[in-house]
PDB file of all heavy atoms in Angstrom:
ATOM      1  N   GLY A   1      33.668  60.937  57.394  1.00 94.00           N
ATOM      2  CA  GLY A   1      35.053  61.608  57.297  1.00 94.00           C
ATOM      3  C   GLY A   1      36.005  60.740  58.005  1.00 94.00           C
ATOM      4  O   GLY A   1      35.810  59.726  58.594  1.00 94.00           O
ATOM      5  N   ALA A   2      37.243  61.421  58.032  1.00 94.00           N
ATOM      6  CA  ALA A   2      38.416  60.700  58.542  1.00 94.00           C
ATOM      7  C   ALA A   2      38.347  60.775  60.105  1.00 94.00           C
ATOM      8  O   ALA A   2      37.552  61.357  60.727  1.00 94.00           O
ATOM      9  CB  ALA A   2      39.613  61.552  58.193  1.00 94.00           C
ATOM     10  N   ILE A   3      39.114  59.774  60.623  1.00 94.00           N
ATOM     11  CA  ILE A   3      39.254  59.644  62.133  1.00 94.00           C
ATOM     12  C   ILE A   3      40.744  60.132  62.440  1.00 94.00           C
ATOM     13  O   ILE A   3      41.683  59.603  61.913  1.00 94.00           O
ATOM     14  CB  ILE A   3      39.124  58.221  62.585  1.00 94.00           C
ATOM     15  CG1 ILE A   3      37.677  57.515  62.064  1.00 94.00           C
ATOM     16  CG2 ILE A   3      39.381  58.017  64.106  1.00 94.00           C
ATOM     17  CD1 ILE A   3      36.556  58.321  62.513  1.00 94.00           C
ATOM     18  N   ILE A   4      40.826  61.376  62.979  1.00 94.00           N
ATOM     19  CA  ILE A   4      42.023  62.014  63.230  1.00 94.00           C
ATOM     20  C   ILE A   4      42.204  62.282  64.583  1.00 94.00           C
ATOM     21  O   ILE A   4      41.445  62.778  65.318  1.00 94.00           O
ATOM     22  CB  ILE A   4      42.011  63.343  62.444  1.00 94.00           C
ATOM     23  CG1 ILE A   4      41.663  63.342  61.031  1.00 94.00           C
ATOM     24  CG2 ILE A   4      43.408  64.174  62.581  1.00 94.00           C
ATOM     25  CD1 ILE A   4      42.730  62.649  60.118  1.00 94.00           C
ATOM     26  N   ALA A   5      43.503  61.984  65.118  1.00 94.00           N
ATOM     27  CA  ALA A   5      43.939  62.196  66.478  1.00 94.00           C
ATOM     28  C   ALA A   5      45.514  62.273  66.400  1.00 94.00           C
ATOM     29  O   ALA A   5      46.119  61.810  65.586  1.00 94.00           O
ATOM     30  CB  ALA A   5      43.486  61.248  67.403  1.00 94.00           C
ATOM     31  N   ASP A   6      46.099  62.882  67.503  1.00 93.00           N
ATOM     32  CA  ASP A   6      47.491  62.865  67.713  1.00 93.00           C
ATOM     33  C   ASP A   6      48.057  61.513  68.077  1.00 93.00           C
ATOM     34  O   ASP A   6      49.077  61.115  67.497  1.00 93.00           O
ATOM     35  CB  ASP A   6      47.812  63.835  68.819  1.00 93.00           C
ATOM     36  CG  ASP A   6      47.637  65.290  68.319  1.00 93.00           C
ATOM     37  OD1 ASP A   6      48.416  65.746  67.438  1.00 93.00           O
ATOM     38  OD2 ASP A   6      46.858  66.091  68.813  1.00 93.00           O
ATOM     39  N   ALA A   7      47.269  60.799  68.937  1.00 94.00           N
ATOM     40  CA  ALA A   7      47.776  59.470  69.421  1.00 94.00           C
ATOM     41  C   ALA A   7      46.380  58.620  69.643  1.00 94.00           C
ATOM     42  O   ALA A   7      45.444  59.075  69.713  1.00 94.00           O
ATOM     43  CB  ALA A   7      48.531  59.641  70.637  1.00 94.00           C
ATOM     44  N   ALA A   8      46.811  57.236  69.786  1.00 96.00           N
ATOM     45  CA  ALA A   8      45.627  56.291  70.061  1.00 96.00           C
ATOM     46  C   ALA A   8      46.244  55.053  70.653  1.00 96.00           C
ATOM     47  O   ALA A   8      47.470  54.770  70.502  1.00 96.00           O
ATOM     48  CB  ALA A   8      45.041  55.976  68.714  1.00 96.00           C
ATOM     49  N   GLY A   9      45.406  54.449  71.471  1.00 95.00           N
ATOM     50  CA  GLY A   9      45.510  53.137  71.966  1.00 95.00           C
ATOM     51  C   GLY A   9      45.064  52.057  71.096  1.00 95.00           C
ATOM     52  O   GLY A   9      45.202  52.167  69.910  1.00 95.00           O
ATOM     53  N   ASN A  10      44.212  51.207  71.666  1.00 95.00           N
ATOM     54  CA  ASN A  10      43.681  50.171  70.912  1.00 95.00           C
ATOM     55  C   ASN A  10      42.438  50.617  70.202  1.00 95.00           C
ATOM     56  O   ASN A  10      41.577  51.291  70.683  1.00 95.00           O
ATOM     57  CB  ASN A  10      43.114  48.991  71.836  1.00 95.00           C
ATOM     58  CG  ASN A  10      44.428  48.338  72.461  1.00 95.00           C
ATOM     59  OD1 ASN A  10      45.227  47.951  71.732  1.00 95.00           O
ATOM     60  ND2 ASN A  10      44.295  47.992  73.659  1.00 95.00           N
ATOM     61  N   ILE A  11      42.251  50.314  68.939  1.00 95.00           N
ATOM     62  CA  ILE A  11      41.127  50.592  68.077  1.00 95.00           C
ATOM     63  C   ILE A  11      40.454  49.149  67.614  1.00 95.00           C
ATOM     64  O   ILE A  11      41.243  48.549  66.795  1.00 95.00           O
ATOM     65  CB  ILE A  11      41.337  51.522  66.931  1.00 95.00           C
ATOM     66  CG1 ILE A  11      41.945  52.901  67.514  1.00 95.00           C
ATOM     67  CG2 ILE A  11      40.220  51.664  66.065  1.00 95.00           C
ATOM     68  CD1 ILE A  11      42.212  54.018  66.497  1.00 95.00           C
ATOM     69  N   THR A  12      39.356  48.847  67.984  1.00 95.00           N
ATOM     70  CA  THR A  12      38.642  47.697  67.489  1.00 95.00           C
ATOM     71  C   THR A  12      37.326  48.124  66.795  1.00 95.00           C
ATOM     72  O   THR A  12      36.462  48.714  67.414  1.00 95.00           O
ATOM     73  CB  THR A  12      38.404  46.743  68.634  1.00 95.00           C
ATOM     74  OG1 THR A  12      39.661  46.406  69.331  1.00 95.00           O
ATOM     75  CG2 THR A  12      37.738  45.432  68.246  1.00 95.00           C
ATOM     76  N   VAL A  13      37.212  47.683  65.546  1.00 96.00           N
ATOM     77  CA  VAL A  13      36.021  48.036  64.664  1.00 96.00           C
ATOM     78  C   VAL A  13      35.447  46.639  64.371  1.00 96.00           C
ATOM     79  O   VAL A  13      36.096  45.877  63.553  1.00 96.00           O
ATOM     80  CB  VAL A  13      36.486  48.823  63.540  1.00 96.00           C
ATOM     81  CG1 VAL A  13      35.265  49.135  62.632  1.00 96.00           C
ATOM     82  CG2 VAL A  13      37.170  50.119  63.844  1.00 96.00           C
ATOM     83  N   GLY A  14      34.226  46.438  64.645  1.00 94.00           N
ATOM     84  CA  GLY A  14      33.470  45.253  64.293  1.00 94.00           C
ATOM     85  C   GLY A  14      33.051  45.183  62.769  1.00 94.00           C
ATOM     86  O   GLY A  14      33.129  44.109  62.219  1.00 94.00           O
ATOM     87  N   GLY A  15      32.798  46.360  62.243  1.00 95.00           N
ATOM     88  CA  GLY A  15      32.433  46.450  60.825  1.00 95.00           C
ATOM     89  C   GLY A  15      33.563  46.900  59.927  1.00 95.00           C
ATOM     90  O   GLY A  15      34.617  46.380  60.077  1.00 95.00           O
ATOM     91  N   SER A  16      33.439  47.867  59.126  1.00 96.00           N
ATOM     92  CA  SER A  16      34.411  48.256  58.264  1.00 96.00           C
ATOM     93  C   SER A  16      35.120  49.625  58.678  1.00 96.00           C
ATOM     94  O   SER A  16      34.514  50.509  59.267  1.00 96.00           O
ATOM     95  CB  SER A  16      33.875  48.470  56.790  1.00 96.00           C
ATOM     96  OG  SER A  16      33.428  47.206  56.312  1.00 96.00           O
ATOM     97  N   LEU A  17      36.291  49.775  58.259  1.00 96.00           N
ATOM     98  CA  LEU A  17      37.038  51.151  58.308  1.00 96.00           C
ATOM     99  C   LEU A  17      36.798  51.771  56.917  1.00 96.00           C
ATOM    100  O   LEU A  17      37.235  51.360  55.961  1.00 96.00           O
ATOM    101  CB  LEU A  17      38.431  50.995  58.654  1.00 96.00           C
ATOM    102  CG  LEU A  17      39.262  52.244  58.616  1.00 96.00           C
ATOM    103  CD1 LEU A  17      38.830  53.187  59.699  1.00 96.00           C
ATOM    104  CD2 LEU A  17      40.735  51.952  58.828  1.00 96.00           C
ATOM    105  N   VAL A  18      35.934  52.790  56.983  1.00 96.00           N
ATOM    106  CA  VAL A  18      35.329  53.297  55.730  1.00 96.00           C
ATOM    107  C   VAL A  18      36.122  54.424  55.175  1.00 96.00           C
ATOM    108  O   VAL A  18      36.324  54.778  54.016  1.00 96.00           O
ATOM    109  CB  VAL A  18      33.842  53.799  55.918  1.00 96.00           C
ATOM    110  CG1 VAL A  18      33.333  54.391  54.669  1.00 96.00           C
ATOM    111  CG2 VAL A  18      33.024  52.551  56.326  1.00 96.00           C
ATOM    112  N   ASN A  19      36.793  55.277  56.016  1.00 94.00           N
ATOM    113  CA  ASN A  19      37.627  56.397  55.670  1.00 94.00           C
ATOM    114  C   ASN A  19      38.959  56.411  56.279  1.00 94.00           C
ATOM    115  O   ASN A  19      39.295  55.403  56.951  1.00 94.00           O
ATOM    116  CB  ASN A  19      36.753  57.648  56.024  1.00 94.00           C
ATOM    117  CG  ASN A  19      36.804  58.798  54.960  1.00 94.00           C
ATOM    118  OD1 ASN A  19      37.682  59.062  54.401  1.00 94.00           O
ATOM    119  ND2 ASN A  19      35.567  59.277  54.729  1.00 94.00           N
ATOM    120  N   ALA A  20      39.719  57.462  55.965  1.00 93.00           N
ATOM    121  CA  ALA A  20      41.080  57.534  56.487  1.00 93.00           C
ATOM    122  C   ALA A  20      41.183  57.405  58.068  1.00 93.00           C
ATOM    123  O   ALA A  20      40.327  58.016  58.718  1.00 93.00           O
ATOM    124  CB  ALA A  20      41.779  58.724  55.987  1.00 93.00           C
ATOM    125  N   LEU A  21      42.211  56.817  58.596  1.00 94.00           N
ATOM    126  CA  LEU A  21      42.515  56.787  59.862  1.00 94.00           C
ATOM    127  C   LEU A  21      43.976  57.476  60.081  1.00 94.00           C
ATOM    128  O   LEU A  21      44.904  56.878  59.608  1.00 94.00           O
ATOM    129  CB  LEU A  21      42.656  55.369  60.426  1.00 94.00           C
ATOM    130  CG  LEU A  21      43.073  55.171  61.923  1.00 94.00           C
ATOM    131  CD1 LEU A  21      42.070  55.801  62.882  1.00 94.00           C
ATOM    132  CD2 LEU A  21      43.207  53.701  62.204  1.00 94.00           C
ATOM    133  N   GLY A  22      43.952  58.686  60.589  1.00 94.00           N
ATOM    134  CA  GLY A  22      45.180  59.500  60.743  1.00 94.00           C
ATOM    135  C   GLY A  22      45.568  59.577  62.225  1.00 94.00           C
ATOM    136  O   GLY A  22      44.985  60.412  62.879  1.00 94.00           O
ATOM    137  N   ILE A  23      46.477  58.863  62.553  1.00 94.00           N
ATOM    138  CA  ILE A  23      47.072  58.962  64.052  1.00 94.00           C
ATOM    139  C   ILE A  23      48.625  59.537  63.712  1.00 94.00           C
ATOM    140  O   ILE A  23      49.383  58.963  63.271  1.00 94.00           O
ATOM    141  CB  ILE A  23      47.190  57.589  64.630  1.00 94.00           C
ATOM    142  CG1 ILE A  23      45.815  56.910  64.762  1.00 94.00           C
ATOM    143  CG2 ILE A  23      47.858  57.761  66.115  1.00 94.00           C
ATOM    144  CD1 ILE A  23      44.705  57.604  65.392  1.00 94.00           C
ATOM    145  N   TRP A  24      48.700  60.808  64.314  1.00 92.00           N
ATOM    146  CA  TRP A  24      49.836  61.631  63.857  1.00 92.00           C
ATOM    147  C   TRP A  24      51.104  61.308  64.520  1.00 92.00           C
ATOM    148  O   TRP A  24      52.138  61.264  63.929  1.00 92.00           O
ATOM    149  CB  TRP A  24      49.486  63.058  64.031  1.00 92.00           C
ATOM    150  CG  TRP A  24      48.409  63.597  63.032  1.00 92.00           C
ATOM    151  CD1 TRP A  24      47.151  63.633  63.246  1.00 92.00           C
ATOM    152  CD2 TRP A  24      48.710  63.906  61.595  1.00 92.00           C
ATOM    153  NE1 TRP A  24      46.541  64.055  62.097  1.00 92.00           N
ATOM    154  CE2 TRP A  24      47.367  64.184  61.079  1.00 92.00           C
ATOM    155  CE3 TRP A  24      49.840  64.060  60.798  1.00 92.00           C
ATOM    156  CZ2 TRP A  24      47.322  64.549  59.803  1.00 92.00           C
ATOM    157  CZ3 TRP A  24      49.617  64.426  59.586  1.00 92.00           C
ATOM    158  CH2 TRP A  24      48.350  64.743  59.003  1.00 92.00           C
ATOM    159  N   THR A  25      51.108  60.992  65.888  1.00 91.00           N
ATOM    160  CA  THR A  25      52.396  60.743  66.499  1.00 91.00           C
ATOM    161  C   THR A  25      52.585  59.329  66.995  1.00 91.00           C
ATOM    162  O   THR A  25      53.602  58.785  66.729  1.00 91.00           O
ATOM    163  CB  THR A  25      52.497  61.783  67.637  1.00 91.00           C
ATOM    164  OG1 THR A  25      51.367  61.515  68.634  1.00 91.00           O
ATOM    165  CG2 THR A  25      52.439  63.182  67.262  1.00 91.00           C
ATOM    166  N   ASP A  26      51.667  58.779  67.657  1.00 92.00           N
ATOM    167  CA  ASP A  26      51.910  57.525  68.254  1.00 92.00           C
ATOM    168  C   ASP A  26      50.659  56.606  68.294  1.00 92.00           C
ATOM    169  O   ASP A  26      49.565  57.165  68.895  1.00 92.00           O
ATOM    170  CB  ASP A  26      52.542  57.590  69.650  1.00 92.00           C
ATOM    171  CG  ASP A  26      53.081  56.459  70.185  1.00 92.00           C
ATOM    172  OD1 ASP A  26      53.497  55.430  69.455  1.00 92.00           O
ATOM    173  OD2 ASP A  26      53.237  56.431  71.338  1.00 92.00           O
ATOM    174  N   MET A  27      50.743  55.342  68.033  1.00 94.00           N
ATOM    175  CA  MET A  27      49.538  54.391  68.257  1.00 94.00           C
ATOM    176  C   MET A  27      50.225  53.286  69.110  1.00 94.00           C
ATOM    177  O   MET A  27      51.022  52.524  68.707  1.00 94.00           O
ATOM    178  CB  MET A  27      49.028  53.773  67.035  1.00 94.00           C
ATOM    179  CG  MET A  27      47.940  52.879  67.343  1.00 94.00           C
ATOM    180  SD  MET A  27      46.891  52.756  65.833  1.00 94.00           S
ATOM    181  CE  MET A  27      45.575  51.751  66.510  1.00 94.00           C
ATOM    182  N   THR A  28      49.811  53.340  70.403  1.00 94.00           N
ATOM    183  CA  THR A  28      50.411  52.413  71.293  1.00 94.00           C
ATOM    184  C   THR A  28      49.759  51.086  71.415  1.00 94.00           C
ATOM    185  O   THR A  28      50.284  50.130  71.957  1.00 94.00           O
ATOM    186  CB  THR A  28      50.395  53.051  72.685  1.00 94.00           C
ATOM    187  OG1 THR A  28      49.076  53.299  73.171  1.00 94.00           O
ATOM    188  CG2 THR A  28      51.206  54.319  72.813  1.00 94.00           C
ATOM    189  N   GLY A  29      48.498  50.972  70.877  1.00 95.00           N
ATOM    190  CA  GLY A  29      47.889  49.709  70.830  1.00 95.00           C
ATOM    191  C   GLY A  29      47.696  49.057  69.502  1.00 95.00           C
ATOM    192  O   GLY A  29      48.544  49.255  68.612  1.00 95.00           O
ATOM    193  N   SER A  30      46.766  48.285  69.219  1.00 95.00           N
ATOM    194  CA  SER A  30      46.488  47.601  67.989  1.00 95.00           C
ATOM    195  C   SER A  30      45.271  48.085  67.308  1.00 95.00           C
ATOM    196  O   SER A  30      44.396  48.692  67.866  1.00 95.00           O
ATOM    197  CB  SER A  30      46.377  46.144  68.349  1.00 95.00           C
ATOM    198  OG  SER A  30      45.233  45.812  69.099  1.00 95.00           O
ATOM    199  N   LEU A  31      45.226  47.842  66.061  1.00 95.00           N
ATOM    200  CA  LEU A  31      44.113  48.202  65.214  1.00 95.00           C
ATOM    201  C   LEU A  31      43.499  46.766  64.635  1.00 95.00           C
ATOM    202  O   LEU A  31      44.137  46.056  63.978  1.00 95.00           O
ATOM    203  CB  LEU A  31      44.450  49.049  64.049  1.00 95.00           C
ATOM    204  CG  LEU A  31      43.472  49.224  62.853  1.00 95.00           C
ATOM    205  CD1 LEU A  31      42.308  50.028  63.494  1.00 95.00           C
ATOM    206  CD2 LEU A  31      43.900  49.995  61.753  1.00 95.00           C
TER     207      LEU A  31
END
């Protein structure tokens, strides 16, 4: 399922992003 949060810092995925990534207000880092 989706990855849902209000905010996020750095997100590093070695494999695949399979479903939706929902960051609602602020992403301060990198994807």
Side-chain angles (χ1 to χ4, degrees):
I3 307 302
I4 304 290
D6 288 298
N10 292 316
I11 296 178
T12 304
V13 180
S16 296
L17 177 60
V18 179
N19 226 312
L21 176 64
I23 307 300
W24 291 96
T25 60
D26 192 21
M27 185 158 181
T28 60
S30 62
L31 170 64

